[in-house]
Amino acid sequence: EENEKNLQNLLSQSKDRENETKTNERKLLERVSEMEENEKNLQNLLSQSKDREKSLVDLLRKSEEEAKVKEKGLMALEENEKNLQNLLSESKDREKSLVDLLRKSEEEAKAKEKGLMDILKESEEKGKKVFDMMFLNEEKAKEKEMKLLEIVKKYSG
């Protein structure tokens, strides 16, 4: 009886262990299933992460290309500004030259005008002298004519 009781106990313990093993096996299978699900989720996350990385790389490349285009545009604008500054400087130099030329031209015109005025005055003075001489000659001629008329009257009369 003792042996049978012990056997019953052992059998009971064995069934308990078997149940415990089945429970552990079920829990282990659930755990493996969870781990497989986690691995699948991690694969999806990794795939999404790679997609995002690719998108970010593409975005970075586009951004770099835009930056290069903007940099070229900025360089072109700077070159244009430099050219405009040069043109402005040249324009100012030309304006200064033209102002100097105009001043010289005005001075020359004034000098020529003064020269012409001097010539005109001289010419007027010569003309006046000639007129005075003609008038004087006319007076002398009239005087001579009067003397001749007197002489003619004297001898004719």
Side-chain angles (χ1 to χ4, degrees):
E1 274 186 34
E2 185 70 31
N3 281 342
E4 196 176 316
K5 186 177 172 189
N6 285 338
L7 279 175
Q8 285 296 326
N9 278 340
L10 283 174
L11 184 62
S12 175
Q13 286 177 358
S14 176
K15 283 184 181 181
D16 288 345
R17 282 189 187 141
E18 186 181 333
N19 285 338
E20 190 177 316
T21 299
K22 284 183 182 179
T23 301
N24 286 340
E25 188 179 306
R26 191 173 18 88
K27 285 181 181 179
L28 189 61
L29 287 174
E30 286 174 4
R31 184 77 176 127
V32 166
S33 177
E34 286 175 11
M35 289 176 78
E36 286 173 348
E37 185 67 27
N38 285 343
E39 184 180 359
K40 181 181 165 188
N41 289 339
L42 285 173
Q43 288 294 336
N44 286 338
L45 287 174
L46 180 62
S47 175
Q48 290 173 2
S49 177
K50 285 180 181 178
D51 290 346
R52 285 186 188 135
E53 181 182 1
K54 184 181 180 295
S55 295
L56 287 173
V57 167
D58 289 345
L59 190 60
L60 179 62
R61 188 178 314 107
K62 285 179 185 176
S63 179
E64 287 173 347
E65 289 171 3
E66 287 175 5
K68 284 179 184 177
V69 168
K70 287 178 182 177
E71 186 177 350
K72 284 180 184 177
L74 182 60
M75 288 171 64
L77 285 174
E78 288 172 349
E79 185 66 25
N80 285 346
E81 183 180 5
K82 181 179 153 189
N83 291 339
L84 286 173
Q85 289 293 337
N86 288 339
L87 287 173
L88 180 61
S89 178
E90 289 174 13
S91 177
K92 286 180 180 178
D93 291 345
R94 285 189 194 130
E95 182 182 2
K96 185 179 180 294
S97 297
L98 287 173
V99 166
D100 290 344
L101 191 61
L102 180 62
R103 190 178 308 112
K104 286 179 185 175
S105 186
E106 286 174 348
E107 290 171 1
E108 288 175 6
K110 284 179 183 177
K112 286 179 182 176
E113 184 180 351
K114 185 181 180 303
L116 288 174
M117 291 302 285
D118 291 346
I119 291 170
L120 183 61
K121 277 184 186 177
E122 201 177 292
S123 179
E124 283 177 354
E125 288 173 7
K126 284 181 182 176
K128 188 176 179 188
K129 284 181 184 178
V130 167
F131 183 76
D132 288 346
M133 287 175 84
M134 282 175 51
F135 185 73
L136 199 70
N137 285 341
E138 236 179 79
E139 289 287 318
K140 285 181 182 177
K142 281 184 183 177
E143 282 178 21
K144 286 182 182 179
E145 192 181 326
M146 292 294 241
K147 284 181 183 178
L148 279 173
L149 280 174
E150 280 179 26
I151 291 172
V152 168
K153 278 186 185 177
K154 207 183 206 183
Y155 287 111
S156 64

